[in-house]
Amino acid sequence: NRQLPSLWQWASIRWLTQKKNWTPPQRKMMQKAGQYHAVRAAVVGVVLAVVTFTGLTIRDQVIERDNANHAASLVGRVFDADITQVPGIVKEMEAYRAWTDPRLKEEKEKAANDSRKQLHASLALFPVDPQQLDYLYERLLTGGPQEVVVIREALFDRKNGLTEKSWTLLENPKNDQNQRFRAACALAAFAPDDARWEKVSGDVAATLVIQKPFVLAQWTDALRGAGKWLIPPLADFLVDEKRSVPERGLIASVYGTYAANLSD
């Protein structure tokens, strides 16, 4: 085989000479050289295919491992994060759903007695699991101001199915006051221009001004969308001499926030 033409020589002979002019020994030599180079090419091709397949397999395993590790990190972060940070982490999960969702469901089941983790898990699953809707709306009706705002934003695309439900709750004074107030916060984003605000604005404003001072600003911001409807009852509260000076000071702050929005 070492005396046979190299691949380059064999190709040159085939290209530059006519086969009909070859002698029998030359034909035999060229035939054997062709078979020899074909076998070598096949072996090289198989080796390259094996190397390529092995490389791709290793690459896919590395990518899978990295994706799984990053997904685990995202799930850990979403449970440890402050409620206001959850939406940003959920957005990061979009490209890693195949890895995050099973972990989220598993962790949610483990956290059956941890309402905070339950809420964070539902917010993370909601973009791909509409069954979280009812739970999230129930949590909206009982949450603190930051929770209400985050849940409201998560539910905004489903507002058509929640707006009338919220109005039904808010308009009935026999319903729980705290739930009515949180329904109002939802409607401040879902239906800020609805004329029904005129009827309920007094109750909403009255509930707003009795919130604890350290969360009053947050509740005020949550109702900012309906601020124009709350200004008239707040103005009445300001001139109510039965209210203490500190109370009227807080009311004046809320009134000023909404009045400033109207002037912008």
Side-chain angles (χ1 to χ4, degrees):
N1 290 339
R2 285 180 296 180
Q3 303 302 318
L4 292 173
S6 66
L7 179 61
W8 173 254
Q9 290 172 334
W10 177 84
S12 297
I13 293 171
R14 290 296 304 268
W15 179 260
L16 298 174
T17 65
Q18 295 184 353
K19 190 175 181 179
K20 64 182 181 179
N21 296 328
W22 295 349
T23 65
Q26 290 173 334
R27 289 175 184 274
K28 185 176 180 181
M29 177 192 70
M30 289 297 290
Q31 181 181 9
K32 188 172 183 180
Q35 293 173 345
Y36 174 73
H37 292 307
V39 170
R40 290 191 65 185
V43 171
V44 171
V46 169
V47 171
L48 288 175
V50 170
V51 170
T52 301
F53 177 77
T54 303
L56 291 174
T57 300
I58 294 173
R59 185 200 65 178
D60 290 344
Q61 291 174 343
V62 170
I63 292 174
E64 176 74 17
R65 183 195 63 199
D66 291 345
N67 286 339
N69 289 340
H70 188 59
S73 173
L74 289 172
V75 171
R77 285 171 54 198
V78 85
F79 283 119
D80 294 337
D82 181 84
I83 187 66
T84 58
Q85 298 172 320
V86 170
I89 300 172
V90 172
K91 189 171 183 180
E92 288 184 54
M93 290 181 176
E94 289 178 1
Y96 300 91
R97 283 292 176 182
W99 299 273
T100 59
D101 293 357
R103 287 178 176 271
L104 286 168
K105 292 175 182 177
E106 180 181 354
E107 293 299 325
K108 186 179 180 184
E109 290 180 3
K110 291 180 181 178
N113 298 320
D114 189 329
S115 62
R116 178 178 174 277
K117 285 189 174 182
Q118 286 277 310
L119 174 57
H120 289 205
S122 287
L123 286 167
L125 287 168
F126 184 57
V128 294
D129 183 6
Q131 292 183 357
Q132 304 296 325
L133 176 65
D134 291 340
Y135 171 80
L136 288 174
Y137 186 72
E138 290 176 5
R139 289 298 302 267
L140 182 148
L141 297 178
T142 59
Q146 291 183 330
E147 291 178 340
V148 168
V149 170
V150 170
I151 297 171
R152 179 181 70 182
E153 290 177 357
L155 298 179
F156 189 81
D157 289 341
R158 303 296 184 90
K159 66 178 181 178
N160 291 340
L162 298 173
T163 299
E164 288 306 315
K165 186 176 182 179
S166 299
W167 277 119
T168 300
L169 177 59
L170 176 57
E171 288 182 304
N172 188 348
K174 294 181 180 180
N175 289 326
D176 181 83
Q177 182 187 33
N178 289 327
Q179 291 193 359
R180 292 179 67 213
F181 182 66
R182 285 156 177 78
C185 291
L187 290 168
F190 295 166
D193 298 319
D194 196 304
R196 284 176 284 186
W197 275 106
E198 188 170 2
K199 179 182 176 182
V200 300
S201 60
D203 285 351
V204 175
T207 306
L208 172 60
V209 298
I210 63 172
Q211 300 302 309
K212 296 184 183 301
F214 63 88
V215 291
L216 180 60
Q218 294 177 357
W219 285 120
T220 300
D221 190 59
L223 286 164
R224 190 182 295 270
K228 65 182 180 181
W229 302 100
L230 302 180
I231 286 178
L234 288 171
D236 293 337
F237 298 161
L238 278 174
V239 297
D240 184 359
E241 295 182 355
K242 295 180 181 180
R243 296 180 181 272
S244 66
V245 173
E247 285 178 326
R248 282 189 280 179
L250 290 175
I251 295 168
S253 175
V254 175
Y255 180 93
T257 298
Y258 294 148
N261 287 342
L262 289 181
S263 62
D264 290 343

